[in-house]
Amino acid sequence: MKISEVRALSPEEMKRKLGELKHELFNLRFQKGISQLENPRKMNQTRKDIARINTVLTELTRNPMKTNN
């Protein structure tokens, strides 16, 4: 997920997507623990997506007048 895709989402959509990604990361960690993880790169990508969404949400809370462009 690119940062431009994240910025295009509404804050409610970002929060929903954040919940989905956290659940996915939990499942990936579980798969890693039982040695069934097929794509280890997926964990890093999911963590980065979570960080991107958290960054944009923080920007929006600190500067509520900023519009989504």
Side-chain angles (χ1 to χ4, degrees):
M1 176 175 274
K2 294 182 179 181
I3 192 71
S4 59
E5 294 171 0
V6 174
R7 290 186 192 280
L9 299 174
S10 71
E12 293 80 22
E13 291 173 327
M14 284 185 224
K15 290 176 184 176
R16 183 185 50 77
K17 185 69 173 173
L18 185 61
E20 292 172 3
L21 288 171
K22 286 183 178 182
H23 183 70
E24 181 180 347
L25 184 60
F26 172 79
N27 289 335
L28 291 170
R29 286 180 178 156
F30 184 74
Q31 289 175 3
K32 181 181 179 188
I34 59 174
S35 301
Q36 290 185 347
L37 186 60
E38 295 177 8
N39 184 3
R41 177 79 175 112
K42 183 71 174 161
M43 280 185 66
N44 289 339
Q45 189 62 42
T46 303
R47 282 199 331 256
K48 288 179 182 183
D49 287 344
I50 290 170
R52 285 183 188 106
I53 292 174
N54 280 331
T55 300
V56 173
L57 284 173
T58 301
E59 286 176 357
L60 291 175
T61 57
R62 289 187 178 180
N63 189 2
M65 300 303 288
K66 190 174 184 178
T67 60
N68 291 341
N69 289 341

